[in-house]
Amino acid sequence: MTTTLQPRQVLEATTPAPAPRRTRKKKDKGRGYETRSLVSPLALRSVRGKATYWTVLVVVVIGFTLAFVFPLYWMVTGALKSPEEIAQIPPSFFPKHFDFGVYADAWNQLQLGVFLKNTALYAGGAWLFTLAVDVTAAYALSKLRPFFGKLILALMLATLMIPPMVLLLPTYLVAKDVPLFHVSLLNTPWAIWLPAAANGFFIFLLKRFFDSIPRELLEAAEIDGASPMRILWSIVLPVSRPILGVVSILSVVTVWKDFVWPLLVLPETDKMSISVGIASLSAQMPQNVLIASLVIASLPTIGVFFVFQRSIMAGLTAGSLKG
């Protein structure tokens, strides 16, 4: 028995069912990628979008550049002004007379040569102790995997949450009378070197980089009979130059610009660092001579940053991605 279909049924049977509606984000025509920003790429390609984009970009870049560069400009030009010109209101943006002899006066009157030599000694020693302590600690936590290693790392990172001012008094008491040895480290470079040696942030940076080193490379050295110290010296350190450069630069700059701790542990004038020495003699010097001394004290760290800025950025991002 055959069934005769009505025209409506035939139409419904031959008409394909509509595709289910899918909730998806709009795609830019001709590009094939999803729009995930407040302004779509299609709007940015218009004349108005391009003009708005470049205007905002230029304003932001110029604004941030001025915010960082203007204090340096004000310091350099302030040293070239006379004390009367510095004190005048409103201030002048350009000195009327360029007197570069003020830098020689600052060098001689403030004994900057002695202070710079002391600071270089403190920064160099702190750099050596920092690498010796932090590199070995990070290598042990990353590759040797000691018992309670994660707990030790967590306790190191917890020290970063403590304000530095809270640690000043106990650290000073330890430096004044070292437990077990009962010796005083005041007015000695050891008061700067030893507290700077153990740094939880540096250990964390080094450990993250050491984690990215392939384990197979170290196992091959172990099969050849290399000891853990030989593996650290011959394999780990040569491939860790980027992060070692970052830790070195940061450790030197930290000691160079430190003020409160050297002020406490180095009270003698001939042992002072550059920042403490300038502050101690600032009341006796004209304003332009004082500003000139600050320019001289800033030059080493500024030069280090401009020379090694590529190494700093490369080392900070090294080890963050695997694969």
Side-chain angles (χ1 to χ4, degrees), residues 32-278:
Y33 54 80
E34 297 179 353
T35 302
R36 299 181 180 271
S37 60
L38 296 177
V39 183
S40 66
L42 182 61
L44 288 178
R45 287 200 299 271
S46 63
V47 177
R48 182 178 179 181
K50 289 181 180 180
T52 304
Y53 171 79
W54 285 107
T55 301
V56 173
L57 179 62
V58 170
V59 170
V60 170
V61 170
I62 293 177
F64 276 94
T65 302
L66 291 178
F68 286 99
V69 174
F70 183 76
L72 297 177
Y73 166 80
W74 194 255
M75 182 174 60
V76 173
T77 57
L80 301 177
K81 300 177 183 178
S82 62
E84 295 78 14
E85 191 176 357
I86 295 175
Q88 75 177 13
I89 298 176
S92 59
F93 287 91
F94 302 97
K96 297 179 181 178
H97 304 285
F98 292 88
D99 184 14
F100 292 96
V102 68
Y103 291 103
D105 296 337
W107 181 272
N108 296 325
Q109 297 179 21
L110 289 168
Q111 304 177 7
L112 294 184
V114 176
F115 296 148
L116 287 174
K117 182 182 68 176
N118 294 339
T119 309
L121 174 65
Y122 302 148
W127 168 65
L128 292 176
F129 278 96
T130 298
L131 290 184
V133 174
D134 295 353
V135 168
T136 52
Y139 174 70
L141 293 174
S142 175
K143 298 304 181 183
L144 301 184
R145 308 277 179 89
F147 198 63
F148 292 130
K150 293 183 179 180
L151 177 60
I152 295 174
L153 179 62
L155 294 176
M156 289 182 180
L157 296 179
T159 60
L160 302 178
M161 306 301 167
I162 304 176
M165 291 301 174
V166 177
L167 300 176
L168 277 180
L169 180 58
T171 308
Y172 176 79
L173 295 177
V174 172
K176 186 178 180 181
D177 186 12
V178 180
L180 300 180
F181 297 96
H182 299 291
V183 295
S184 177
L185 302 180
L186 302 183
N187 287 313
T188 63
W190 295 99
I192 303 295
W193 295 343
L194 294 182
N199 189 297
F201 178 67
F202 293 160
I203 294 175
F204 175 72
L205 285 180
L206 291 166
K207 180 184 180 302
R208 288 296 303 272
F209 188 91
F210 293 163
D211 289 342
S212 65
I213 299 177
R215 184 69 185 177
E216 294 78 8
L217 185 64
L218 307 184
E219 292 176 351
E222 292 177 356
I223 295 175
D224 292 338
S227 63
M229 288 303 299
R230 180 60 184 273
I231 294 174
L232 173 63
W233 182 260
S234 301
I235 298 177
V236 176
L237 292 184
V239 301
S240 303
R241 290 179 181 176
I243 194 63
L244 292 178
V246 172
V247 171
S248 301
I249 294 170
L250 293 180
S251 62
V252 170
V253 172
T254 300
V255 174
W256 193 278
K257 68 179 183 179
D258 195 8
F259 176 78
V260 179
W261 181 245
L263 179 64
L264 294 176
V265 299
L266 301 171
E268 294 183 4
T269 304
D270 57 341
K271 302 293 181 61
M272 290 181 178
S273 62
I274 184 69
S275 57
V276 178
I278 292 176

